[in-house]
Amino acid sequence: MNKWLWITAVWLSFAGSNAVAENPGMWNRGELLLENGIQLTGELNYNWKAEIVQYRQGNTIKAYSAYQVRTFVYFDTLQSTLRKFVSVDYPVKPALSRPLFLEEFVVGPLMVYRRLRHMHEPIKVLTPASFGTDEELVKDIDNFTYLVLAGDDFIDLSDFSRALWPRMQDEFNNELQKYIARLQLEPTSTLARLLLINQYNYLKMNTSPENQSASHTTSAGH
Protein backbone atom coordinates (compact mmCIF):
# COMPACT_ATOMS: atom_id res chain seq x y z
CA MET A 1 0.00 0.00 0.00
CA ASN A 2 1.57 3.33 -0.99
CA LYS A 3 1.97 6.24 1.40
CA TRP A 4 -1.09 8.13 0.13
CA LEU A 5 -3.41 5.15 0.56
CA TRP A 6 -1.93 4.35 3.98
CA ILE A 7 -2.56 7.87 5.25
CA THR A 8 -6.04 7.76 3.74
CA ALA A 9 -6.78 4.40 5.38
CA VAL A 10 -5.80 5.69 8.82
CA TRP A 11 -7.80 8.88 8.39
CA LEU A 12 -10.86 7.08 7.06
CA SER A 13 -10.81 4.53 9.87
CA PHE A 14 -11.67 7.40 12.19
CA ALA A 15 -13.77 9.46 9.80
CA GLY A 16 -15.90 6.52 8.62
CA SER A 17 -17.92 6.57 11.83
CA ASN A 18 -19.28 9.98 10.80
CA ALA A 19 -21.16 8.59 7.77
CA VAL A 20 -24.68 9.92 7.42
CA ALA A 21 -26.85 8.27 10.08
CA GLU A 22 -30.16 8.43 8.24
CA ASN A 23 -28.83 6.27 5.41
CA PRO A 24 -25.98 4.11 6.76
CA GLY A 25 -23.75 2.53 4.15
CA MET A 26 -25.08 4.69 1.34
CA TRP A 27 -22.65 7.56 1.94
CA ASN A 28 -19.10 7.06 3.17
CA ARG A 29 -16.21 9.39 3.90
CA GLY A 30 -13.67 9.41 1.11
CA GLU A 31 -11.47 11.27 -1.34
CA LEU A 32 -12.09 12.04 -4.99
CA LEU A 33 -9.35 13.03 -7.45
CA LEU A 34 -10.73 14.82 -10.50
CA GLU A 35 -9.22 14.69 -13.98
CA ASN A 36 -8.14 18.34 -13.62
CA GLY A 37 -6.07 17.47 -10.54
CA ILE A 38 -8.45 18.85 -7.92
CA GLN A 39 -8.82 16.61 -4.87
CA LEU A 40 -12.09 16.63 -2.93
CA THR A 41 -12.70 15.24 0.54
CA GLY A 42 -16.20 14.54 1.77
CA GLU A 43 -19.00 11.98 1.61
CA LEU A 44 -19.10 9.73 -1.46
CA ASN A 45 -21.74 7.45 -2.91
CA TYR A 46 -20.90 5.27 -5.91
CA ASN A 47 -23.82 4.46 -8.18
CA TRP A 48 -22.92 1.09 -9.75
CA LYS A 49 -25.69 1.10 -12.36
CA ALA A 50 -25.45 4.68 -13.61
CA GLU A 51 -21.65 4.58 -13.19
CA ILE A 52 -21.35 7.94 -11.48
CA VAL A 53 -19.83 8.90 -8.16
CA GLN A 54 -21.72 11.41 -6.07
CA TYR A 55 -19.86 13.82 -3.82
CA ARG A 56 -21.56 15.55 -0.91
CA GLN A 57 -20.19 18.31 1.27
CA GLY A 58 -22.72 19.99 3.51
CA ASN A 59 -25.93 20.53 1.54
CA THR A 60 -24.18 20.39 -1.84
CA ILE A 61 -24.26 17.21 -3.94
CA LYS A 62 -22.41 16.85 -7.24
CA ALA A 63 -22.20 13.86 -9.58
CA TYR A 64 -19.14 12.93 -11.65
CA SER A 65 -18.66 10.43 -14.46
CA ALA A 66 -15.56 8.44 -15.39
CA TYR A 67 -14.73 11.19 -17.92
CA GLN A 68 -14.25 13.64 -15.04
CA VAL A 69 -12.51 11.50 -12.41
CA ARG A 70 -9.11 9.83 -12.10
CA THR A 71 -9.64 7.89 -8.89
CA PHE A 72 -11.77 7.81 -5.79
CA VAL A 73 -11.38 5.93 -2.54
CA TYR A 74 -13.61 5.46 0.49
CA PHE A 75 -13.99 3.34 3.60
CA ASP A 76 -17.02 1.09 3.11
CA THR A 77 -18.65 0.97 6.54
CA LEU A 78 -20.85 -2.00 5.62
CA GLN A 79 -17.94 -4.11 4.34
CA SER A 80 -15.40 -2.63 6.80
CA THR A 81 -12.83 -2.22 4.05
CA LEU A 82 -11.05 0.47 2.08
CA ARG A 83 -12.19 0.49 -1.55
CA LYS A 84 -10.49 2.16 -4.50
CA PHE A 85 -11.90 2.85 -7.97
CA VAL A 86 -10.03 4.10 -11.02
CA SER A 87 -11.16 5.55 -14.32
CA VAL A 88 -9.78 3.36 -17.11
CA ASP A 89 -9.87 3.99 -20.85
CA TYR A 90 -11.35 0.61 -21.72
CA PRO A 91 -11.98 -0.77 -25.25
CA VAL A 92 -15.71 -1.46 -25.39
CA LYS A 93 -15.45 -2.33 -29.12
CA PRO A 94 -12.49 -3.13 -31.42
CA ALA A 95 -12.17 0.47 -32.58
CA LEU A 96 -13.89 2.24 -29.69
CA SER A 97 -12.88 2.89 -26.09
CA ARG A 98 -14.34 5.00 -23.33
CA PRO A 99 -13.56 5.72 -19.67
CA LEU A 100 -15.10 3.26 -17.22
CA PHE A 101 -14.99 3.02 -13.45
CA LEU A 102 -13.29 -0.18 -12.33
CA GLU A 103 -12.75 -1.25 -8.74
CA GLU A 104 -9.35 -2.57 -7.72
CA PHE A 105 -10.11 -6.06 -6.43
CA VAL A 106 -6.79 -7.96 -6.39
CA VAL A 107 -3.57 -5.96 -6.18
CA GLY A 108 -0.25 -7.29 -7.46
CA PRO A 109 1.68 -8.16 -10.65
CA LEU A 110 -1.65 -9.36 -12.08
CA MET A 111 -4.10 -6.61 -11.17
CA VAL A 112 -7.75 -7.64 -11.07
CA TYR A 113 -10.51 -5.07 -11.54
CA ARG A 114 -14.25 -5.55 -11.42
CA ARG A 115 -17.43 -3.83 -12.57
CA LEU A 116 -21.07 -4.67 -12.08
CA ARG A 117 -22.79 -6.94 -14.58
CA HIS A 118 -25.48 -4.56 -15.80
CA MET A 119 -29.03 -5.82 -15.65
CA HIS A 120 -31.64 -4.69 -18.16
CA GLU A 121 -33.69 -2.55 -15.84
CA PRO A 122 -34.44 1.21 -15.85
CA ILE A 123 -32.30 3.64 -13.88
CA LYS A 124 -34.13 6.43 -12.11
CA VAL A 125 -31.88 9.28 -13.13
CA LEU A 126 -33.66 11.72 -10.81
CA THR A 127 -32.94 9.58 -7.75
CA PRO A 128 -29.46 8.12 -8.37
CA ALA A 129 -28.75 7.54 -4.68
CA SER A 130 -31.36 4.77 -4.69
CA PHE A 131 -29.03 2.81 -6.98
CA GLY A 132 -25.98 3.11 -4.77
CA THR A 133 -23.93 0.21 -3.42
CA ASP A 134 -26.20 -2.64 -2.35
CA GLU A 135 -24.79 -4.75 0.49
CA GLU A 136 -26.09 -8.09 -0.82
CA LEU A 137 -25.09 -7.27 -4.41
CA VAL A 138 -21.49 -6.62 -3.37
CA LYS A 139 -21.27 -9.84 -1.36
CA ASP A 140 -21.97 -12.04 -4.40
CA ILE A 141 -18.78 -12.16 -6.48
CA ASP A 142 -20.67 -13.52 -9.48
CA ASN A 143 -22.56 -10.22 -9.83
CA PHE A 144 -19.43 -8.72 -11.35
CA THR A 145 -17.30 -8.92 -14.48
CA TYR A 146 -13.60 -9.32 -13.65
CA LEU A 147 -10.82 -7.90 -15.81
CA VAL A 148 -7.18 -8.85 -15.33
CA LEU A 149 -4.50 -6.38 -16.35
CA ALA A 150 -1.61 -8.45 -17.73
CA GLY A 151 1.05 -6.11 -19.08
CA ASP A 152 -0.85 -3.58 -21.17
CA ASP A 153 -3.80 -5.85 -21.95
CA PHE A 154 -7.08 -6.41 -20.18
CA ILE A 155 -8.14 -10.06 -20.11
CA ASP A 156 -11.63 -11.11 -19.09
CA LEU A 157 -11.52 -13.62 -16.23
CA SER A 158 -13.81 -15.85 -18.30
CA ASP A 159 -10.78 -16.37 -20.59
CA PHE A 160 -8.65 -17.50 -17.64
CA SER A 161 -7.95 -21.05 -18.89
CA ARG A 162 -6.61 -19.95 -22.27
CA ALA A 163 -5.02 -16.56 -21.66
CA LEU A 164 -3.81 -16.60 -18.04
CA TRP A 165 -3.49 -20.08 -16.58
CA PRO A 166 -0.77 -21.35 -19.00
CA ARG A 167 1.59 -18.47 -18.21
CA MET A 168 0.94 -18.85 -14.48
CA GLN A 169 1.76 -22.55 -14.73
CA ASP A 170 4.97 -21.85 -16.62
CA GLU A 171 6.27 -19.95 -13.62
CA PHE A 172 4.76 -21.71 -10.59
CA ASN A 173 3.09 -24.92 -11.69
CA ASN A 174 4.13 -27.06 -8.70
CA GLU A 175 3.25 -24.41 -6.13
CA LEU A 176 -0.12 -23.65 -7.72
CA GLN A 177 -1.03 -27.33 -8.08
CA LYS A 178 -0.31 -27.85 -4.38
CA TYR A 179 -2.44 -24.80 -3.59
CA ILE A 180 -5.34 -26.23 -5.65
CA ALA A 181 -5.06 -29.58 -3.89
CA ARG A 182 -4.82 -28.06 -0.40
CA LEU A 183 -7.93 -25.91 -0.85
CA GLN A 184 -9.69 -28.44 -3.12
CA LEU A 185 -10.36 -25.74 -5.70
CA GLU A 186 -12.37 -26.14 -8.88
CA PRO A 187 -10.45 -23.88 -11.33
CA THR A 188 -13.54 -23.20 -13.45
CA SER A 189 -15.22 -21.21 -10.67
CA THR A 190 -14.86 -17.44 -10.31
CA LEU A 191 -13.72 -17.71 -6.70
CA ALA A 192 -11.05 -20.31 -7.49
CA ARG A 193 -9.64 -18.22 -10.32
CA LEU A 194 -9.44 -15.13 -8.13
CA LEU A 195 -7.73 -17.14 -5.37
CA LEU A 196 -5.23 -18.57 -7.86
CA ILE A 197 -4.37 -15.12 -9.19
CA ASN A 198 -3.93 -13.86 -5.64
CA GLN A 199 -1.65 -16.81 -4.84
CA TYR A 200 0.31 -16.25 -8.06
CA ASN A 201 0.84 -12.60 -7.06
CA TYR A 202 2.05 -13.72 -3.64
CA LEU A 203 4.54 -16.14 -5.20
CA LYS A 204 5.64 -13.60 -7.79
CA MET A 205 6.30 -10.86 -5.26
CA ASN A 206 8.17 -13.21 -2.93
CA THR A 207 10.51 -14.40 -5.70
CA SER A 208 11.16 -10.97 -7.23
CA PRO A 209 14.79 -9.81 -7.62
CA GLU A 210 14.17 -7.08 -5.04
CA ASN A 211 13.06 -9.57 -2.38
CA GLN A 212 15.86 -11.98 -3.22
CA SER A 213 18.39 -9.15 -2.97
CA ALA A 214 16.96 -8.09 0.39
CA SER A 215 17.15 -11.69 1.60
CA HIS A 216 20.83 -11.99 0.56
CA THR A 217 21.63 -8.67 2.26
CA THR A 218 19.98 -9.81 5.50
CA SER A 219 21.83 -13.12 5.41
CA ALA A 220 25.15 -11.37 4.84
CA GLY A 221 24.55 -9.22 7.89
CA HIS A 222 24.41 -12.23 10.29
Side-chain angles (χ1 to χ4, degrees):
M1 180 180 291
N2 62 39
K3 181 178 179 182
W4 181 80
L5 279 180
W6 171 251
I7 293 173
T8 302
V10 173
W11 173 73
L12 289 175
S13 66
F14 293 98
S17 60
N18 295 321
V20 182
E22 73 269 13
N23 207 350
M26 187 67 74
W27 293 88
N28 295 280
R29 294 287 296 180
E31 295 180 355
L32 181 71
L33 180 62
L34 300 180
E35 186 60 38
N36 59 13
I38 294 176
Q39 184 167 304
L40 304 173
T41 300
E43 293 167 340
L44 303 181
N45 167 247
Y46 179 49
N47 180 323
W48 290 94
K49 297 179 182 178
E51 295 190 89
I52 60 171
V53 56
Q54 295 181 100
Y55 165 74
R56 176 164 69 180
Q57 189 173 48
N59 295 323
T60 302
I61 297 178
K62 295 182 179 180
Y64 298 94
S65 72
Y67 288 90
Q68 301 165 295
V69 174
R70 293 184 192 174
T71 66
F72 64 92
V73 60
Y74 65 86
F75 186 82
D76 188 326
T77 55
L78 290 177
Q79 304 297 317
S80 297
T81 186
L82 188 71
R83 303 177 68 181
K84 181 181 179 181
F85 294 76
V86 296
S87 177
V88 174
D89 195 29
Y90 184 76
V92 292
K93 292 182 180 180
L96 177 65
S97 62
R98 68 180 178 88
L100 295 176
F101 281 132
L102 300 178
E103 181 180 9
E104 287 188 359
F105 195 68
V106 175
V107 178
L110 288 179
M111 292 286 296
V112 181
Y113 299 88
R114 72 175 183 177
R115 65 189 299 256
L116 181 67
R117 295 182 189 274
H118 287 269
M119 306 301 179
H120 295 290
E121 55 186 77
I123 297 175
K124 298 178 181 179
V125 177
L126 297 180
T127 56
S130 65
F131 286 88
T133 300
D134 180 278
E135 183 178 8
E136 295 305 316
L137 179 151
V138 173
K139 286 181 179 179
D140 188 345
I141 63 173
D142 287 317
N143 284 331
F144 297 86
T145 295
Y146 296 86
L147 302 166
V148 184
L149 183 59
D152 295 325
D153 299 320
F154 277 106
I155 299 172
D156 195 297
L157 190 65
S158 63
D159 204 20
F160 176 86
S161 297
R162 184 190 66 83
L164 290 171
W165 185 231
R167 70 174 75 176
M168 293 165 63
Q169 285 182 299
D170 284 344
E171 294 184 69
F172 301 109
N173 182 59
N174 290 338
E175 296 90 336
L176 292 174
Q177 291 298 341
K178 290 177 182 178
Y179 184 74
I180 290 173
R182 185 169 74 250
L183 297 185
Q184 298 183 327
L185 298 178
E186 173 48 62
T188 59
S189 73
T190 299
L191 177 59
R193 290 173 173 183
L194 292 171
L195 288 173
L196 285 168
I197 290 173
N198 191 61
Q199 181 66 7
Y200 168 86
N201 284 341
Y202 169 80
L203 294 168
K204 188 77 171 176
M205 289 187 290
N206 279 275
T207 57
S208 66
E210 293 82 2
N211 284 331
Q212 291 178 349
S213 175
S215 176
H216 292 323
T217 301
T218 302
S219 300
H222 288 299

